[in-house]
Amino acid sequence: MVQIRLRNTKTRKVEPLEPTVIPGKVGMYVCGPTVYDRAHLGNARPAVVFDVLNRLLRHVYGAGNVTYVRNITDVDDKINAEAQRRRAAGADGTLEELIADRADETIRWYHEDMAALGVLPPDREPRATGYIAPMIAMIEGLIAKGHAYEAEGHVLFRVKSYSDYGALSGRSVEDMLAGARVEVAPYKEDPMDFVLWKPSDDELPGWDSPWGRGRPGWHIECSAMAAELLGEAFDIHGGGIDLQFPHHENEIAQSACMGHAFARIWMHNEMLQVEGKKMSKSLGNFFTVRDLLDQGVPGEVIRFVMLSTHYSKPMDWTAKKRAEAESRLARWFRKTDGVEASDQVPAVVEAALADDLNTHLALTEMDKLGARPLKAAMRLLGFPEAEEVEWFRSRTVSLAGATPDQAVLKGLMERWQGLRAAKDFAAADDLKGRVEAAGVRLKAGAGGPEAELLPDFDAAKLEALK
């Protein structure tokens, strides 16, 4: 069996994955979306990264021996604010109905957009609203153990009661307090204490509890859902580096104070930039996954760009990388079109992925593979097959399949074929060069010449060649 090694944020080391809770079986929990709006490109990176890890785990251990949990946060102040905005704009329904509608709509969007990127559904996808009882039980346990306290309808975690607080991020409480935006509230014993339960008014979603009608804080949700679905100890917890503090730090504190071993390996993907700058609405470089898809960027191209950078490094989305990814994928599709995949994934690709999910190296090695092993490797990394990729098929033109609106291209293909048949290779190469300068790649296929329209295709330049 391939030995998988992963970078553990908590120990700052690359460690072997050794499932010990249930030998031979792997449990992984990844923080999923808060469903108040479309997923932006940064939200998609952890979904893609941990999808590859999920595929690798299934490949190595067997699909039946992997449990992948990715939660949905469907109770949150941001969702409430969006529903209030809709009501103010004249939407029908109670505020609670508008909140539920918004959550359901956004979950549907998320599923559609992630599917377009080749992301498989997780084994379990718990919604926070479905696990309120375990959250309340955990909060009661923390109070009973002296790690939490009630104050003015809120329940807060007592940070100083957990001596290892800060081990994940490697910072002291004082450092975290200096750099954090903490909510100042008179009912807190300490500014670092965080909310486990908060009151809800009659309009907002709420549940009965020993502390009155209210709703859970964000951090307790993941601790409770992970324990319910994976047990008190499991193998991998993942998410974006932005969640390391305070979310994951707080998850560890809550769970440890309940006596849970929780996750052994913590993995975090780095942040995303656009053309070398932080993605933000103020810079005008903020876009969602749906924005790119609607602009005609194929989902597998987005996936390729994301996997071209190691997950532990900042990723830069650029127009150049997008074009290069599309070109490389098209080359792979041409190579594997109509070919049966190998039964085995090439060892060099397995080894790259097993070495802390080195997708950049895996893609580099895949450039060197023959058609059958390449197709097997593409399947493992979650890329579609050439036979089902519409944009690739629509760009490939043969003399037999040329349509009337491709008359100019068909004529040039016939001319190129004639020059090659006459063994006038100098003239044939000259024509090919000029056609390719117009954004069309020519090649000699088994049934005659074929042409592929490239991303920089220029119809006017091609027209000038007839």
Side-chain angles (χ1 to χ4, degrees):
M1 180 183 290
V2 176
Q3 174 66 71
I4 298 174
R5 301 171 68 250
L6 300 170
R7 186 182 308 275
N8 189 345
T9 307
K10 194 170 184 178
T11 62
R12 280 75 173 162
K13 296 177 181 178
V14 176
E15 302 175 357
L17 173 63
E18 297 173 340
T20 54
V21 180
I22 305 176
K25 294 183 180 290
V26 182
M28 178 169 70
Y29 186 96
V30 174
C31 290
T34 299
V35 287
Y36 66 96
D37 207 346
R38 287 276 191 185
H40 59 67
L41 202 57
N43 301 142
R45 193 179 190 197
V48 171
V49 165
F50 291 102
D51 177 68
V52 174
L53 180 54
N54 177 40
R55 290 170 182 270
L56 177 64
L57 293 173
R58 282 168 148 67
H59 173 71
V60 172
Y61 290 93
N65 294 319
V66 177
T67 303
Y68 175 26
V69 180
R70 187 187 67 207
N71 75 294
I72 288 176
T73 298
D74 61 343
V75 53
D76 185 85
D77 290 341
K78 290 180 179 178
I79 306 172
N80 298 344
E82 176 58 25
Q84 288 167 327
R85 185 194 66 77
R86 287 187 165 196
R87 185 175 66 172
D92 294 331
T94 66
L95 185 58
E96 195 159 0
E97 289 170 341
L98 291 172
I99 289 169
D101 288 347
R102 181 59 171 181
D104 289 344
E105 177 182 48
T106 309
I107 290 169
R108 177 174 55 80
W109 288 344
Y110 185 80
H111 287 161
E112 292 171 352
D113 292 348
M114 294 308 104
L117 303 186
V119 174
L120 295 173
D123 298 300
R124 301 292 298 273
E125 192 174 47
R127 293 174 63 154
T129 52
Y131 289 79
I132 300 299
M135 295 174 200
I136 291 174
M138 183 173 276
I139 294 170
E140 289 179 311
L142 289 169
I143 292 174
K145 292 172 180 290
H147 296 292
Y149 59 94
E150 182 184 1
E152 298 183 22
H154 296 73
V155 180
L156 297 109
F157 182 84
R158 188 176 278 120
V159 168
K160 287 186 177 177
S161 73
Y162 179 57
S163 60
D164 287 337
Y165 192 82
L168 181 68
S169 56
R171 293 178 289 178
S172 67
V173 171
E174 290 71 23
D175 289 340
M176 289 184 280
L177 184 59
R181 291 179 293 177
V182 281
E183 179 188 2
V184 177
Y187 49 79
K188 284 188 176 184
E189 291 180 0
D190 186 279
M192 284 297 293
D193 293 349
F194 57 87
V195 172
L196 301 174
W197 190 264
K198 63 177 72 175
S200 287
D201 61 32
D202 292 338
E203 284 194 310
L204 293 172
W207 293 265
D208 292 334
S209 80
W211 319 286
R213 186 175 186 274
R215 61 191 191 274
W218 177 30
H219 313 301
I220 197 69
E221 296 175 5
C222 287
S223 285
M225 289 187 285
E228 283 290 302
L229 296 175
L230 293 173
E232 295 178 2
F234 54 95
D235 301 290
I236 303 167
H237 193 313
I241 193 66
D242 55 315
L243 300 182
Q244 183 187 40
F245 177 81
H247 184 50
H248 289 166
E249 198 80 72
N250 292 350
E251 280 188 65
I252 291 173
Q254 296 161 161
S255 299
C257 288
M258 284 298 294
H260 299 177
F262 212 47
R264 188 176 77 81
I265 292 178
W266 286 81
M267 294 179 66
H268 294 92
N269 64 272
E270 260 291 353
M271 302 295 283
L272 178 139
Q273 299 176 324
V274 177
E275 301 289 351
K277 298 180 180 178
K278 180 180 178 181
M279 187 171 69
S280 71
K281 291 180 179 178
S282 62
L283 293 176
N285 66 352
F286 178 95
F287 41 83
T288 67
V289 173
R290 180 51 50 182
D291 290 335
L292 288 179
L293 294 171
D294 288 347
Q295 291 167 18
V297 182
E300 53 270 21
V301 170
I302 300 172
R303 184 182 184 90
F304 194 106
V305 174
M306 288 191 170
L307 297 183
S308 297
T309 300
H310 192 274
Y311 76 88
S312 67
K313 297 180 180 179
M315 194 210 94
D316 194 15
W317 174 272
T318 68
K320 181 181 178 183
K321 286 183 179 180
R322 172 256 168 111
E324 289 173 348
E326 195 163 331
S327 178
R328 282 174 74 183
L329 274 173
R331 188 163 67 249
W332 289 1
F333 290 144
R334 283 196 305 276
K335 195 171 190 177
T336 59
D337 191 12
V339 173
E340 187 69 30
S342 297
D343 293 335
Q344 300 292 326
V345 173
V348 290
V349 175
E350 279 187 341
L353 296 179
D355 184 15
D356 193 27
L357 213 62
N358 193 338
T359 53
H360 172 78
L361 177 59
L363 297 180
T364 300
E365 294 292 350
M366 287 163 69
D367 275 330
K368 308 170 189 176
L369 297 175
R372 295 186 68 234
L374 173 58
K375 197 162 194 171
M378 290 175 71
R379 284 180 179 174
L380 178 58
L381 270 81
F383 293 112
E385 301 191 355
E387 294 81 1
E388 58 194 42
V389 179
E390 184 178 342
W391 63 265
F392 165 70
R393 309 216 70 77
S394 66
R395 288 182 185 175
T396 303
V397 179
S398 66
L399 288 179
T403 58
D405 62 332
Q406 295 168 341
V408 173
L409 179 54
K410 182 178 181 180
L412 292 168
M413 292 166 69
E414 288 175 337
R415 193 194 313 173
W416 182 61
Q417 183 183 37
L419 290 169
R420 286 171 53 82
K423 301 190 182 302
D424 189 351
F425 296 117
D429 289 346
D430 176 67
L431 177 60
K432 182 182 180 184
R434 287 184 288 138
V435 170
E436 293 191 343
V440 180
R441 180 179 286 120
L442 292 179
K443 75 168 188 172
E450 294 179 355
E452 180 197 353
L453 308 187
L454 302 175
D456 61 348
F457 171 63
D458 188 328
K461 285 185 179 179
L462 194 71
E463 182 78 20
L465 298 178
K466 70 177 183 179

